[in-house]
Amino acid sequence: AALSEVLALDGMMVHLCPNYRWPYEPHLGIPLVPFYPILTKYLAPKLIRKNPRIWENLNFITAAKVKNLCSENNLKVRFVDGVMADFLERLEIDDVFRERQPYVLRSLLKYKTIFRVLSYVLRIVPATLATPMIFHVEKK
């Protein structure tokens, strides 16, 4: 609501954040309890102890929640397609990015055919199912 109030009529907000429809928390690098991620705190407390301040500030946003919030605040939202494929393909060209990723993801580069097929499949995943999600918000 606050962002809606400060957004100019011809302005646009661009957001990039995890889509917690996927049961994975990228800031901490931990799996989440599917469909009820807050339970992770009780079922795997050692995972949260890495950085409890991050955990305490997570809101577990999903594309569906973004759509609802935008609708409630008279905002138009557009999700960007191909984000997961772009991130996967970045493994090939960005050494720093590649080194920050889990070994299993980096190891895909060894298998060119699998890498290409996965890239293709991720390119056609609907943007509202992707993580991270990038979306643009404007006033209606």
Side-chain angles (χ1 to χ4, degrees), residues 19 23-24 33 36 39 45-46 48 53 59 83-84 86-88 93 100 111 114 122 131 136-137:
N19 183 353
Y24 180 73
V33 174
Y36 205 67
L39 281 181
K46 288 181 183 177
I48 308 307
R53 290 187 70 204
N59 61 19
V83 173
M84 288 197 317
D86 291 344
F87 274 68
L88 180 70
I93 59 171
R100 290 193 324 246
Y111 308 99
I114 294 172
L122 292 176
T131 192
H136 300 175
V137 179

Side-chain angles (χ1 to χ4, degrees), residues 85-103:
D86 291 344
F87 274 68
L88 180 70
E89 293 164 5
R90 188 173 167 193
L91 290 171
E92 291 184 299
I93 59 171
D94 186 334
D95 297 338
V96 174
F97 176 78
R98 182 173 47 251
E99 289 307 311
R100 290 193 324 246
Q101 305 312 310
Y103 172 77

Side-chain angles (χ1 to χ4, degrees), residues 39-137:
L39 281 181
T40 306
K41 179 178 181 178
Y42 305 104
L43 298 175
K46 288 181 183 177
L47 297 176
I48 308 307
R49 285 188 203 127
K50 289 182 186 180
N51 195 328
R53 290 187 70 204
I54 289 177
W55 180 262
E56 292 163 7
N57 288 291
L58 294 175
N59 61 19
F60 301 112
I61 192 77
T62 64
K65 285 182 186 177
V66 169
K67 286 180 177 181
N68 288 340
L69 287 169
C70 287
S71 177
E72 291 169 7
N73 290 285
N74 201 31
L75 298 168
K76 179 174 68 172
V77 64
R78 182 179 62 83
F79 291 86
V80 175
D81 293 322
V83 173
M84 288 197 317
D86 291 344
F87 274 68
L88 180 70
E89 293 164 5
R90 188 173 167 193
L91 290 171
E92 291 184 299
I93 59 171
D94 186 334
D95 297 338
V96 174
F97 176 78
R98 182 173 47 251
E99 289 307 311
R100 290 193 324 246
Q101 305 312 310
Y103 172 77
V104 67
L105 197 54
R106 294 191 316 260
S107 66
L108 286 174
L109 290 169
K110 297 177 190 174
Y111 308 99
K112 294 295 181 192
T113 303
I114 294 172
F115 187 86
R116 294 285 167 238
V117 169
L118 185 56
S119 179
Y120 171 77
V121 169
L122 292 176
R123 182 97 23 223
I124 60 174
V125 168
T128 55
L129 298 179
T131 192
M133 57 183 168
I134 297 176
F135 53 95
H136 300 175
V137 179

